Amino acid sequence: MGLDSAAATMMEPDSTSAFEKIQADLLDEYRQDHNYPWIIGYSGGKDSTLVTHLAFEMLMKLPPSERKRPVHIVANDTLVESPLLVQHIIESTNEIQSAADAFGLPVITKITRPSPEQSFWVNLIGRGYPSPNRSFRWCTDRMKILPTSRYIKSLADTAGQVILLLGVRRSESATRAASVGRYDNGERLNKHNDLQGCMVFRPIVELDTDDVWEFLALNEPPWGGSHLKLIRLYREASGGECPVVTSKDDAPSCGSTSSRFGCWTCTVVEKDRSLEGFVEYGYTEFGPLLDFRDWLVSIRNDKERRQARRRDGRITITDGGTFVPGPFTLQTRSEVLERLRGLEKETGQALITQEEIDLIHEIWSAEIGTYANARPMSVREIKKDK
């Protein structure tokens, strides 16, 4: 069912009963005799928006005396998100928080971000990490998993346990279905694979994509406004959101081959189809971002732009005799920074912070000092990788 027809169509009986069951499950879990906080992983996309909608609606139906469990709505901003998506996340979380405060709901919204030391630009320009690809996807852990996991862990340490609500659906893909099946214990709650004291609740796991769009098209968000902005975002990008990632098992979804909203710098995908969709729709100001991203892809494997030594000072040769180059040269890193600052002027967008620039210069200075004192390398120090 398309987005346009969904708004004019009444819910099918099976779909209605499915949502009734989900709402009953949410209410029953919220009323359990403990106060473990809920954390909703909010990516700003359709599935996490649906979970947030249903949870918010449930809280509003409860009498104030029963709204005892805090509900944290946690989004992640990698600092290089697709501009329209991060704008949507900021605006929607502000709307949710304002409504929650007005209604006296125990809702806390939070946007997690990587520390400046682990940002995309500090790693790529400062440390010279080559643009991420499928075999060296250094960005997901540092920029998505760690910031959100740190927040979840801090709550779990304080409360003893937390319940993480995810908008995961079995029908998303064969990979997602396998992941759900692998960690499904037959109970409502499943232990998180990596985070101690964190139980995972997947309330919409059995819904189809049509069910999700139909509900969002027919029901206004309980915090006010409408879901039309979200629907329009998908239509204009012809894509889907990168999911909330709190585990390396979820990482394949980040930088997948499908059209997803994600980092505009993502070089894991062959083409950034969602950003291309925005440009084709009329957001021509994002065209230079696409060109810059494509340039990062083009220089990744240029041996002239890579150092011989790895960052640990060793030279790497595989068992098959293939030489593995190290980080980008300082000259290339300087060129990337110069082009990035030029891109800021061209687009009028702030793409890197002054704090990141200062950290980059500190890393360069320390590296230059290390090179000045470097000694010749012995054969024994050459590392062999399989």
Side-chain angles (χ1 to χ4, degrees):
M1 182 181 299
L3 299 181
D4 295 319
S5 61
T9 306
M10 293 302 291
M11 288 238 184
E12 298 293 332
D14 287 347
S15 175
T16 301
S17 61
F19 278 98
E20 288 174 350
K21 181 181 183 305
I22 292 168
Q23 289 165 332
D25 282 346
L26 285 167
L27 181 59
D28 182 64
E29 186 57 47
Y30 190 81
R31 282 176 164 166
Q32 294 298 307
D33 59 353
H34 55 73
N35 288 321
Y36 299 144
W38 277 14
I39 301 172
I40 298 176
Y42 180 70
S43 68
K46 63 185 186 305
D47 298 322
S48 63
T49 297
L50 175 58
V51 173
T52 304
H53 179 129
L54 295 172
F56 198 104
E57 199 168 60
M58 178 210 67
L59 288 172
M60 288 186 64
K61 291 178 180 177
L62 286 173
S65 60
E66 294 185 30
R67 300 169 183 165
K68 296 179 179 179
R69 189 193 307 275
V71 177
H72 299 253
I73 298 170
V74 182
N76 175 252
D77 174 12
T78 61
L79 302 178
V80 284
E81 295 291 332
S82 178
L84 288 177
L85 177 64
V86 76
Q87 179 184 349
H88 169 68
I89 288 174
I90 292 170
E91 289 177 354
S92 59
T93 52
N94 285 341
E95 290 171 357
I96 292 167
Q97 188 66 68
S98 295
D101 292 344
F103 291 126
L105 304 181
V107 169
I108 304 100
T109 58
K110 172 71 176 179
I111 299 177
T112 64
R113 295 178 173 90
S115 62
E117 294 82 3
Q118 293 300 341
S119 75
F120 184 84
W121 298 123
V122 169
N123 277 303
L124 187 138
I125 301 176
R127 299 185 176 94
Y129 285 13
S131 317
N133 64 8
R134 292 194 177 281
S135 61
F136 187 41
R137 187 167 45 194
W138 50 263
C139 48
T140 304
D141 189 56
R142 291 171 172 83
M143 294 158 50
K144 291 180 80 75
I145 295 178
L146 287 178
T148 303
S149 296
R150 193 178 296 120
Y151 186 83
I152 294 171
K153 188 176 183 301
S154 69
L155 291 179
D157 288 345
T158 301
Q161 186 166 289
V162 295
I163 298 172
L164 177 63
L165 284 74
L166 295 177
V168 172
R169 293 182 299 106
R170 201 185 301 271
S171 65
E172 282 181 82
S173 65
T175 302
R176 180 64 72 191
S179 175
V180 170
R182 190 161 58 248
Y183 302 107
D184 191 352
N185 61 5
E187 304 292 331
R188 180 187 294 163
L189 303 182
N190 296 255
K191 284 186 177 180
H192 194 281
N193 304 327
D194 300 321
L195 297 174
Q196 286 190 340
C198 179
M199 300 297 289
V200 177
F201 181 15
R202 303 177 178 94
I204 66 169
V205 68
E206 302 300 343
L207 291 182
D208 291 329
T209 300
D210 284 352
D211 297 330
V212 176
W213 280 126
E214 190 170 7
F215 184 94
L216 295 176
L218 292 173
N219 296 273
E220 293 182 348
W223 51 83
S226 78
H227 292 305
L228 290 178
K229 287 189 294 184
L230 174 64
I231 293 171
R232 193 159 51 243
L233 197 63
Y234 272 81
R235 182 182 287 123
E236 292 170 358
S238 301
E241 80 284 5
C242 267
V244 173
V245 179
T246 60
S247 164
K248 290 184 179 179
D249 293 311
D250 295 328
S253 300
C254 178
S256 65
T257 55
S258 63
S259 299
R260 287 187 177 272
F261 305 136
C263 303
W264 70 267
T265 57
C266 184
T267 52
V268 177
V269 293
E270 185 176 339
K271 290 280 187 181
D272 188 342
R273 304 198 186 283
S274 65
L275 197 54
E276 285 180 350
F278 284 130
V279 172
E280 290 171 4
Y281 199 83
Y283 294 95
T284 54
E285 65 269 28
F286 299 142
L289 300 185
L290 280 173
D291 295 338
F292 188 88
R293 175 258 177 205
D294 290 343
W295 177 69
L296 288 180
V297 174
S298 72
I299 66 172
R300 187 192 193 280
N301 296 321
D302 184 345
K303 292 180 181 178
E304 297 298 318
R305 293 182 175 273
R306 303 278 291 274
Q307 296 173 179
R309 295 177 184 236
R310 304 285 284 270
R311 285 195 59 79
D312 60 8
R314 293 188 290 180
I315 291 175
T316 302
I317 300 174
T318 67
D319 284 345
T322 302
F323 166 68
V324 180
F328 282 134
T329 63
L330 282 168
Q331 183 178 0
T332 294
R333 287 180 245 172
S334 178
E335 182 184 351
V336 175
L337 180 57
E338 185 179 348
R339 287 190 179 220
L340 182 63
R341 300 312 302 274
L343 187 62
E344 286 186 312
K345 292 179 181 178
E346 182 181 358
T347 62
Q349 298 183 61
L351 303 175
I352 185 171
T353 66
Q354 186 59 49
E355 185 175 10
E356 288 176 295
I357 293 172
D358 292 342
L359 280 168
I360 286 167
H361 287 145
E362 286 178 20
I363 292 169
W364 287 358
S365 296
E367 195 168 314
I368 290 170
T370 300
Y371 287 153
N373 298 317
R375 58 179 174 76
M377 179 173 290
S378 70
V379 175
R380 281 193 293 271
E381 291 177 288
I382 295 179
K383 177 182 177 183
K384 281 196 173 184
D385 278 356
K386 291 184 179 181

